[in-house]
Amino acid sequence: MAESDTSATTDEETTTTSNSNANADDKSQSDAATESDEQPALTKSRPSVNELANSNNNMSTSQQLDLDRSIASIKQCQALSEAEIKQLCQLVSDVLMEEANVQPILAPVTICGDIHGQFFDILELLRIGGNVEDGTRYIFMGDFVDRGYHSVETLSLLFLLKARYTSSITLLRGNHESRQVTRVYGFYEEILTKYGNANVWRYCTDVFDLLPIGALVNGVIFCVHGGLSPDIATLDHLSMIDRKQEIPHAGAFADLMWSDPEDILTWGVSPRGAGWLFGKKVARQFNQLNGLQLICRAHQLVQDGYKYHFEKKNVITVWSAPNYVYRCGNVASILALDENLNRDIKIFKDTEQSRQVVQNMKRPVPYFL
């Protein structure tokens, strides 16, 4: 497969260092799109626990969550109830508490980039990558929510798979897995629309604080959402980061979430307002010092779904949201590694159901680039 010669396009907003900055940014882009206050027609809400309790079944709100039934239901885009999500978040939190800042993973495994709430496209990703139920293992490198119309369903699916198939799903934190960013770019508003309160948002963002920062495949492929930091020389340094917190505005933790590769030698100022631009010398030295073959990251839209960086091709961007925000026209990719770390980049396009979501909306996509 030929390498993309399309230059990477920055997918993210400048970091929301304050509500006023975020609101100003949003206002300045208001001509790009307007906010939608309607739930997509394809989303079907299941009865609340209270409604079920009043039915003839008299279901108890304390009844244990049936993960298999819930997975089958969420794949039909039927949102979980608030009580079910609360229980699910507790299950996932218990699992994540036991995981390391850099979680060790054995190949074979499939590595995925940003999803951004494009629910029907993640179903397509799982179809071409292989079902978790059949033994396929995945690493998702963050940015599960925001911008797409189905962040709740997307995150619910990933959390359900994590709770049910603990060792087969690795969920890493992205810069959108934060309270500050999700308040601005869609997840918070989607929850208010679908549930009528912010409780589900609080449950989910508490889980975000527990997500690992990175993953290490067979000791030689480092997966991280954004990139490198001038404050981090070795992977051992990552173990000293207190990840159980909101992503800070600056420092090593923020850099790992926000940084991008660039065709420079060392470090440059990032136009995002957070993180850094890191060059080929930085990547080469980091890989040599840590015995790595490849840095695998997401965070940037690339039209061809993936892009190798620098002459040595020792950094790769994997992007897994096709036709990003339902209008960018890009394809998406996943990176499948076999037991010998041979790479198979699988390309896929957005689905008809995903395109239909936009057609069913009365207003354009509310999130800008």
Side-chain angles (χ1 to χ4, degrees):
M1 181 175 296
E3 178 191 350
S4 165
D5 58 1
T6 303
S7 60
T9 303
T10 301
D11 92 284
E12 291 302 341
E13 66 288 340
T14 300
T15 180
T16 53
T17 55
S18 69
N19 286 338
S20 60
N21 287 345
N23 292 337
D25 189 17
D26 199 11
K27 183 178 180 181
S28 68
Q29 300 292 336
S30 61
D31 59 330
T34 56
E35 185 83 12
S36 172
D37 57 1
E38 297 190 20
Q39 181 177 342
L42 288 177
T43 299
K44 298 170 285 183
S45 294
R46 290 163 55 183
S48 68
V49 170
N50 288 336
E51 290 171 337
L52 290 172
N54 293 327
S55 70
N56 292 332
N57 293 330
N58 290 321
M59 177 185 288
S60 170
T61 58
S62 63
Q63 182 174 343
Q64 185 175 0
L65 182 65
D66 185 331
L67 294 175
D68 290 327
R69 180 185 64 82
S70 297
I71 290 170
S73 180
I74 199 68
K75 286 185 175 180
Q76 301 300 315
C77 203
Q78 296 175 339
L80 301 180
S81 70
E82 179 182 323
E84 288 172 322
I85 289 186
K86 182 179 182 179
Q87 190 176 163
L88 175 61
C89 285
Q90 184 58 60
L91 291 172
V92 175
S93 295
D94 292 343
V95 173
L96 295 177
M97 286 287 290
E98 302 301 319
E99 296 190 345
N101 279 4
V102 179
Q103 183 70 3
I105 303 294
L106 291 177
V109 67
T110 297
I111 303 171
C112 310
D114 294 28
I115 305 297
H116 281 299
Q118 296 183 201
F119 177 75
F120 298 105
D121 295 323
I122 195 176
L123 294 182
E124 177 69 3
L125 182 158
L126 294 170
R127 187 188 69 81
I128 68 165
N131 290 323
V132 181
E133 296 87 342
D134 297 331
T136 304
R137 293 188 289 176
Y138 287 94
I139 298 172
F140 289 89
M141 297 187 294
D143 280 15
F144 318 125
V145 300
D146 285 338
R147 304 200 168 185
Y149 285 130
H150 296 89
S151 290
V152 170
E153 292 80 5
T154 299
L155 189 65
S156 297
L157 174 60
L158 289 172
F159 279 3
L160 284 165
L161 292 174
K162 180 64 177 177
R164 177 64 176 84
Y165 305 98
T166 301
S167 61
S168 295
I169 296 288
T170 300
L171 303 177
L172 305 184
R173 195 169 189 175
N175 62 299
H176 276 263
E177 276 67 62
S178 78
R179 294 165 183 81
Q180 191 166 228
V181 174
T182 54
R183 282 294 295 265
V184 178
Y185 291 97
F187 186 44
Y188 180 81
E189 293 297 331
E190 180 183 328
I191 286 172
L192 290 182
T193 299
K194 293 179 178 179
Y195 292 94
N197 62 64
N199 291 339
V200 167
W201 178 78
R202 295 187 184 96
Y203 304 148
C204 293
T205 53
D206 284 347
V207 178
F208 292 166
D209 289 343
L210 303 176
L211 292 169
I213 297 170
L216 188 62
V217 181
N218 285 24
V220 295
I221 296 179
F222 176 52
C223 301
V224 66
H225 178 72
L228 302 180
S229 169
D231 296 329
I232 298 291
T234 69
L235 294 176
D236 289 339
H237 291 163
L238 293 176
S239 64
M240 296 184 287
I241 295 176
D242 178 12
R243 77 176 194 258
K244 298 177 180 64
Q245 59 173 309
E246 177 73 350
I247 299 172
H249 300 308
F253 193 176
D255 296 342
L256 295 164
M257 300 294 105
W258 285 94
S259 293
D260 298 297
E262 186 57 78
D263 290 328
I264 56 178
L265 190 61
T266 55
W267 299 99
V269 176
S270 173
R272 296 180 186 271
W276 296 85
L277 301 177
F278 63 95
K280 60 182 180 181
K281 183 178 179 180
V282 172
R284 183 179 70 249
Q285 290 179 342
F286 187 84
N287 285 355
Q288 289 176 346
L289 189 59
N290 292 282
L292 300 176
Q293 297 176 5
L294 183 69
I295 297 169
C296 189
R297 42 93 63 180
H299 193 45
Q300 279 180 303
L301 168 66
V302 282
Q303 287 297 120
D304 291 341
Y306 76 101
K307 181 181 179 180
Y308 281 103
H309 302 271
F310 313 129
E311 295 92 339
K312 293 184 177 294
K313 296 184 178 180
N314 54 5
V315 177
I316 186 173
T317 295
V318 177
W319 182 263
S320 300
N323 193 27
Y324 180 44
V325 292
Y326 313 109
R327 65 182 181 185
C328 285
N330 61 286
V331 296
S333 76
I334 53 178
L335 173 59
L337 304 172
D338 67 14
E339 59 273 12
N340 298 314
L341 299 182
N342 295 313
R343 305 172 195 173
D344 180 15
I345 299 175
K346 299 180 180 180
I347 303 295
F348 64 102
K349 297 180 179 180
D350 60 324
T351 64
E352 178 60 34
Q353 284 177 300
S354 187
R355 291 188 290 271
Q356 186 180 346
V357 167
V358 181
Q359 295 172 2
N360 288 341
M361 299 300 291
K362 294 183 178 180
R363 298 178 183 177
V365 175
Y367 313 127
F368 53 85
L369 297 180

